[in-house]
Amino acid sequence: GLNAMLAKVSPFLKKFTRKRGQSQDSINVLDASVAAADKASVEGSTSAEDASGAVSELDWVGFSRMLRDVRRTLHRYPETGYQEVGTQAFIKGFCEQLNIPGKNVREMALTGLVVDVCHGNATISPAEKRKLPVIAFRADMDALPIEEMNDQLPYCSTQKNGGKELRKRKKQKTSTSQPSSPPKASEDEEDDPQASSDATGGSVVSTDESMEAPVMTLPAPSTITTTTVGAPPAPGAAAEKDDSDSESSTPAAHMCGHDGHMVIVLGLCALVVRKAHLLPEDTFVRFIFQPAEEGPGGAMKMIEDGALVDVDEVYGLHNAPFPLNSIHVRPGPVMAQEVEFSINIHGIGGHGSAPQNCVDPILIGAVVVQALQTIVSRSLSPMDTAVVSVTQFR
């Protein structure tokens, strides 16, 4: 699925940026064509490309739709910490289509990536030639080991619990002989009269005049065959698997929004590459894709592997349920850091009719949960913020 999406967006990305090694004269011609295109758009006519074949103005609608489709595809194929093999390969392919030199794209922390964009989208220069500060933008890559239940979404996670997926497929097999009504069109298909549906569940591509690459409409989740999280797709993975394969599937879902984080940084990377001729020659911009944020310690591993070498400032963000089209900033810490704890309670088993002979660990655990809440209310200053949550009983 990720490879298919990369193939869909490649034509758009190739036209999105100028080729490496373009001369300064060509850059001047491009800048002049951009100014001419802006003037022409005011007069009611636009020019998509100049004589050299470089893009003269940004198709914002096509760009946003391309990023939307990439985000939905990443959401559909999630991978947990240190298993982001397919995600890493997709990001590398995305950068390759942007003509970023291979030496500027480095693997770190097993499944992480560091991407550097220099002046003119050239190969990164030695450190002694850099005099200006280097800034970096960071995104996390991993999903949570949670089963997503939003089956009504066409881009719902394919990594389902094996048993439930097995029962679903058996139910589909028994209903194949019965006539069924045509599948309901998605919201995108209802809004776009050019979109078409595929009753067989295959990928549907609708042509959009405002986007230079086709817009991909993802198939319904009921047609997806699951694979083990993090494992490379086996030959013929799209073919029908036996029941034992489905039972071994590990649930995973981008329920913390890391798919959106990756797309934001990928989109910013594309925009910086597009304007790489405006970057100073003695600095660069770094884009960090960190694996294993949800617990396994990917940040420290990235730092140990050199992700922050030569970097002066790092910028990151996290999605939040704020109003649409709004960005919130503040000095200092913005979101809480997770610190895990575990408490072992030892009881004595017995029969429910003779509680006097038992030591009930459930009752003790309930009292402990209530007592832990006094840590915030009685041990911290009212000016500080904290939360204590007990999330599991085992």
Side-chain angles (χ1 to χ4, degrees), residues 345-348 359-370 393-394:
I345 300 175
H346 300 276
I348 298 177
V359 176
D360 187 355
I362 303 299
L363 178 60
I364 297 173
V367 174
V368 169
V369 171
Q370 289 184 318
F393 271 82
R394 295 182 179 177

Side-chain angles (χ1 to χ4, degrees), residues 223-244:
T223 65
I224 298 167
T225 303
T226 62
T227 56
T228 303
V229 175
E240 181 69 19
K241 295 185 178 181
D242 56 23
D243 293 342
S244 61

